[in-house]
Amino acid sequence: SKNCDYKDIMLDLAIESMVHMGKIGEKIGELNGMPDINANLSPKPTKDLGKEVKESISYEQRSGDEYKDFLPQIEDPGIKKLFEFINHQEDYHKQKLVEFFNLMRRFTVGDLRKND
């Protein structure tokens, strides 16, 4: 993206998502497990920033829904707490993207300064 604000948001979300994966990986390792890695990749960039932001919002919603779906199945309190935290982070990610999307769609008319 050529939009610096969007790049900053996506960088923050990517870093937070990597932290999530690391924390989940650590828990799996503590339980002597092996992760089952599915190719659930982020949306591909497009030339249409509005469409890309909408796709990212949808992706964050789906990711949050997946964490919510797992919560009732988790018995270990530590893992449940981790998934609840990540679920809240996914909601935060979605909110950040929604705020950006709303900002980029603001309609302004002309220059508000007086021309003498």
Side-chain angles (χ1 to χ4, degrees):
S1 174
K2 293 180 181 179
N3 184 297
C4 290
D5 292 331
Y6 183 63
K7 281 187 206 179
D8 287 345
I9 290 169
M10 293 309 290
L11 178 61
D12 288 345
L13 300 186
I15 291 168
E16 288 176 1
S17 293
M18 286 187 282
V19 170
H20 298 163
M21 294 302 291
K23 288 181 184 277
I24 291 171
E26 288 172 1
K27 287 292 185 186
I28 291 171
E30 289 171 10
L31 297 169
N32 296 320
M34 182 63 97
D36 177 16
I37 301 172
N38 294 318
N40 186 7
L41 305 174
S42 298
K44 302 277 187 252
T46 68
K47 294 195 184 262
D48 180 349
L49 182 59
K51 182 178 179 182
E52 187 172 333
V53 174
K54 284 197 275 188
E55 285 292 320
S56 294
I57 292 167
S58 178
Y59 173 80
E60 293 296 336
Q61 180 66 49
R62 286 190 311 274
S63 296
D65 290 346
E66 287 177 11
Y67 285 108
K68 284 178 195 164
D69 290 345
F70 282 121
L71 281 171
Q73 303 170 37
I74 301 171
E75 295 175 13
D76 182 281
I79 296 173
K80 189 170 207 118
K81 184 175 180 177
L82 173 62
F83 271 61
E84 287 170 345
F85 171 77
I86 294 172
N87 180 44
H88 290 298
Q89 286 281 296
E90 295 300 328
D91 286 341
Y92 172 73
H93 293 172
K94 184 180 77 174
Q95 185 58 39
K96 291 288 287 181
L97 289 163
V98 167
E99 287 173 10
F100 175 77
F101 184 73
N102 290 337
L103 267 175
M104 67 177 268
R105 292 179 43 108
R106 273 192 317 195
F107 183 67
T108 60
V109 179
D111 190 351
L112 298 176
R113 295 174 286 174
K114 281 189 174 184
N115 293 328
D116 292 326

